[in-house]
Amino acid sequence: MIFYKKDDLENFLVTGCAGFIGSHLTERLLQDGHKVIGVDNFDPYYDRGIKEANLLKCRSNPNFIFHEIDILDQDALSSIRSIDTVLHVAAKAGVRPSLDNPDSYLEVNFMGTHNILKWMVARECKRMIFASSSSVYGNSESSQFIENQATDSPISPYAVSKKSCEVLNHTYHSNYGLSILNLRLFTVYGPRQRPDLAIRKFTDLISNDKVVPVYGSGDTHRDYTFIDDVVNGFIKAIDYSNKVPGSFETFNIANGNPIGIVDLVKLIGSVLSKDPKIEYLPMQTGDVDKTYADVGKARKLLNFESKTSITEGLNKYVKWVQENRE
């Protein structure tokens, strides 16, 4: 379903277009008839070949233009023509790796976002949808995470970088009139997800009858959100940004139904018709105890609703894995 009018087609810039979320988002925009300029620097965090494969469908579309650009390269960014809306997904990813190399996370995520915002001002582009993260909530004591609660205690450099970007976005909104929506994404999973993400690792281990490491007591919970629902969240945010020009808002984009880590492992095992072997290990630094989104604001203002249950999403993911095995 298309939430914006076909006769109001737009030009989009998607940063991080070759990544997991960025490639799905770019495909959706192209499918809906829009023109997309995509940028990505193929960060070596994981294999470039995976990202190249993510872009195959996009590259075959005449409405897609790709630039291999690092968002830290201001000169390269300046070569991109003006567009209607920026979907800023590019970031150095991974919570735990950010503890080992905090400087690069703060530089790429914060300064890269700063460069995008400066480019927007120079090009008179007024709208941006920013991919933030549930990690900004830290180890919140709230039963559910709601957008207006304090987010002053993130516990990883990655989380700090995302929170800092939200604050920077507000500064540009206030001073330059940019319409910016921060979407706090909750543990996105699905086809093409990164190799380092839990569901992908668990699926590979269980498929090969290997031990699955579970960190902590096994009672940590995550609000897993299927990629199609996340893309729909972006589409709803685009629609809202067009209808409410000059807005600045923050939204949780999530399933709203967290699952315990042990239950998740067992559910993946069930989908694979396997009995998973679990090994309990000490809790890792930087991990939060739970993520649990209150999606009431997104439901009310964006008309957003997650439609994919964890069971349905895992079945779709496992089917994709099995169809794409080498």
Side-chain angles (χ1 to χ4, degrees), residues 135-147:
S135 65
V136 303
Y137 290 107
N139 270 321
S140 172
E141 295 181 0
S142 302
S143 58
Q144 283 184 284
F145 301 170
I146 191 166
E147 294 88 346

Side-chain angles (χ1 to χ4, degrees), residues 19-86:
F20 167 40
I21 298 172
S23 61
H24 280 278
L25 181 56
T26 300
E27 282 184 12
R28 172 62 184 275
L29 294 170
L30 292 169
Q31 174 189 316
D32 289 349
H34 298 283
K35 293 182 178 180
V36 179
I37 297 174
V39 302
D40 205 293
N41 73 332
F42 297 105
D43 183 279
Y45 182 62
Y46 59 96
D47 183 69
R48 176 175 179 140
I50 295 173
K51 296 180 181 180
E52 291 280 13
N54 290 346
L55 277 182
L56 284 176
K57 188 180 291 186
C58 299
R59 285 185 184 272
S60 67
N61 192 306
N63 285 333
F64 179 67
I65 297 172
F66 176 73
H67 296 280
E68 186 169 343
I69 286 177
D70 190 320
I71 57 174
L72 290 177
D73 188 340
Q74 296 185 58
D75 291 337
L77 285 173
S78 67
S79 67
I80 300 175
R81 62 178 173 80
S82 181
I83 46 81
D84 299 309
T85 303
V86 174

Side-chain angles (χ1 to χ4, degrees), residues 34-310:
H34 298 283
K35 293 182 178 180
V36 179
I37 297 174
V39 302
D40 205 293
N41 73 332
F42 297 105
D43 183 279
Y45 182 62
Y46 59 96
D47 183 69
R48 176 175 179 140
I50 295 173
K51 296 180 181 180
E52 291 280 13
N54 290 346
L55 277 182
L56 284 176
K57 188 180 291 186
C58 299
R59 285 185 184 272
S60 67
N61 192 306
N63 285 333
F64 179 67
I65 297 172
F66 176 73
H67 296 280
E68 186 169 343
I69 286 177
D70 190 320
I71 57 174
L72 290 177
D73 188 340
Q74 296 185 58
D75 291 337
L77 285 173
S78 67
S79 67
I80 300 175
R81 62 178 173 80
S82 181
I83 46 81
D84 299 309
T85 303
V86 174
L87 305 180
H88 183 28
V89 185
K92 203 163 181 63
V95 170
R96 285 192 291 274
S98 73
L99 295 164
D100 298 324
N101 192 8
D103 289 355
S104 67
Y105 277 76
L106 294 171
E107 181 182 23
V108 172
N109 296 354
F110 183 77
M111 291 307 300
T113 298
H114 190 208
N115 287 342
I116 294 294
L117 291 165
K118 288 191 294 183
W119 177 88
M120 290 177 65
V121 172
R123 285 286 189 266
E124 297 184 344
C125 173
K126 291 293 187 180
R127 294 192 296 275
M128 181 169 83
I129 315 297
F130 174 68
S132 188
S133 168
S134 62
S135 65
V136 303
Y137 290 107
N139 270 321
S140 172
E141 295 181 0
S142 302
S143 58
Q144 283 184 284
F145 301 170
I146 191 166
E147 294 88 346
N148 63 1
Q149 74 183 68
T151 52
D152 300 326
S153 302
I155 62 173
S156 71
Y158 172 76
V160 170
S161 73
K162 286 296 186 179
K163 172 62 177 179
S164 299
C165 287
E166 290 186 4
V167 175
L168 183 65
N169 289 343
H170 188 268
T171 300
Y172 270 79
H173 161 72
S174 298
N175 288 288
Y176 299 101
L178 302 187
S179 177
I180 301 178
L181 304 183
N182 300 312
L183 304 187
R184 291 176 178 166
L185 311 181
F186 281 67
T187 319
V188 188
Y189 74 102
R192 302 205 296 260
Q193 74 178 94
R194 299 196 322 259
D196 63 303
L197 294 177
I199 285 177
R200 182 158 184 168
K201 290 199 286 189
F202 292 167
T203 300
D204 291 344
L205 291 168
I206 296 170
S207 296
N208 292 290
D209 298 311
K210 294 183 178 180
V211 173
V212 177
V214 169
Y215 297 95
S217 62
D219 60 356
T220 57
H221 283 66
R222 292 290 180 271
D223 199 337
Y224 289 97
T225 313
F226 193 65
I227 183 62
D228 291 356
D229 292 326
V230 169
V231 169
N232 280 334
F234 272 91
I235 299 304
K236 295 284 194 178
I238 292 166
D239 189 41
Y240 180 87
S241 184
N242 288 338
K243 290 178 180 177
V244 189
S247 55
F248 182 90
E249 297 286 354
T250 298
F251 295 100
N252 290 334
I253 299 298
N255 183 270
N257 292 285
I259 183 173
I261 191 72
V262 173
D263 291 334
L264 174 70
V265 171
K266 291 178 178 178
L267 185 54
I268 295 172
S270 175
V271 172
L272 292 167
S273 299
K274 295 268 192 176
D275 186 16
K277 306 166 187 175
I278 298 174
E279 178 184 11
Y280 292 92
L281 298 171
M283 191 75 168
Q284 292 185 302
T285 303
D287 277 350
V288 296
D289 298 327
K290 67 170 183 180
T291 60
Y292 184 5
D294 183 317
V295 293
K297 181 179 179 181
R299 184 182 299 116
K300 179 180 179 180
L301 296 184
L302 301 184
N303 193 30
F304 167 79
E305 198 75 56
S306 176
K307 299 183 181 299
T308 311
S309 69
I310 185 67

